[in-house]
Amino acid sequence: MDILRFITAGNVDDGKSTLIGRLLYDTRNIETDILESVHSGNNAALNLAHITDGLRSERQQGITIDVAYKYFTTTNRKFIITDAPGHFQYTKNLITGASNTDLIIILIDARNSITDQTRRHSQVASFLRIPNVIVAVNKMDCVNYSEAVFNQIKSQFLTIAAALNLPPLVFIPMSALHGENVSTVSENMAWFSGKHLLAELESALPAAMHSQKNRCTIQY
């Protein structure tokens, strides 16, 4: 069984940690004690983002500061996930985490469209020549699952991708919070004919194990 290494990138509050938590939850790769520790308050609601935010300071601020690694397995493949910070000042952490990945998921909040940080993350993907790029337009539930909003963001990003010479892209509209188009197809976005995220991850080709160039990651 082969291994796919991938990283999530996006602005703060675009839903990176929630997406990873959703993947781990849907594939039943979360231990019972961890599940109990991330329930929010007395209503026992599951806070998926806290599954990856291990540092106390991260939970207090509601952001991801350090690079967190998580692992999960499906019947077809093993995965190593890198959850990187979204803040501009932690871009170096993102580059460190992305330097040895096979795939990058660039998250975009459907409400905010493309931002400066989206462009920076796209530049990182281009600079590191990451062979697989998935553009996940998240929080589609907040824009009434609008196909027009999704197509507009897709068109804008394709312009950026052409300038950066990014590899062929996969675009997925989703709601990580509700699990739509993450590991199951969303009924609310029947207009989307592509595969859900997990299916794309299972079919993506990993980078060659042996490269002509060696890369040593240095954070400081």
Side-chain angles (χ1 to χ4, degrees):
M1 185 179 292
D2 65 354
I3 299 175
L4 185 81
R5 297 170 173 83
F6 69 92
I7 187 170
T8 57
N11 289 273
V12 175
D13 292 333
D14 277 359
K16 301 180 299 299
S17 296
T18 298
L19 174 60
I20 293 176
R22 171 61 64 183
L23 283 169
L24 296 174
Y25 182 76
D26 286 356
T27 56
R28 299 182 180 180
N29 281 271
I30 306 175
E31 298 294 335
T32 302
D33 58 336
I34 296 178
L35 276 176
E36 293 175 351
S37 71
V38 294
H39 281 294
S40 299
N42 297 326
N43 60 2
L46 182 63
N47 191 325
L48 294 169
H50 283 177
I51 292 172
T52 55
D53 289 344
L55 296 178
R56 180 177 299 177
S57 59
E58 291 179 344
R59 291 198 181 187
Q60 291 173 344
Q61 298 179 45
I63 62 173
T64 302
I65 296 174
D66 205 354
V67 176
Y69 296 92
K70 293 293 180 179
Y71 310 86
F72 74 98
T73 304
T74 64
T75 55
N76 300 318
R77 173 172 274 176
K78 295 180 179 179
F79 298 91
I80 300 176
I81 319 170
T82 303
D83 181 25
H87 274 285
F88 168 72
Q89 61 264 41
Y90 301 118
T91 302
K92 64 181 184 301
N93 302 55
L94 169 71
I95 296 173
T96 299
S99 59
N100 288 299
T101 56
D102 305 303
L103 182 148
I104 183 171
I105 301 173
I106 298 177
L107 269 81
I108 299 175
D109 188 327
R111 301 168 301 178
N112 302 328
S113 190
I114 293 171
T115 64
D116 289 341
Q117 198 67 339
T118 305
R119 293 182 173 86
R120 291 188 188 96
H121 294 157
S122 302
Q123 290 171 344
V124 170
S126 174
F127 172 72
L128 295 177
R129 297 183 180 180
I130 300 175
N132 301 287
V133 179
I134 295 177
V135 181
V137 182
N138 194 28
K139 302 188 180 182
M140 288 295 296
D141 53 305
C142 297
V143 294
N144 296 319
Y145 305 101
S146 171
E147 182 180 7
V149 171
F150 173 74
N151 287 335
Q152 182 180 20
I153 294 173
K154 179 179 178 179
S155 177
Q156 292 173 349
F157 194 91
L158 284 172
T159 301
I160 296 172
L164 294 175
N165 196 29
L166 289 174
L169 306 172
V170 173
F171 290 87
I172 304 176
M174 68 172 58
S175 170
L177 181 64
H178 300 294
E180 297 179 279
N181 280 345
V182 177
S183 60
T184 56
V185 175
S186 169
E187 295 181 358
N188 289 311
M189 291 177 279
W191 45 263
F192 177 68
S193 59
K195 296 186 290 187
H196 57 70
L197 177 62
L198 186 58
E200 292 288 356
L201 292 175
E202 289 190 319
S203 61
L205 295 177
M209 295 181 63
H210 301 284
S211 173
Q212 295 179 349
K213 296 181 179 180
N214 294 322
R215 179 177 293 151
C216 177
T217 60
I218 301 175
Q219 185 165 328
Y220 292 103

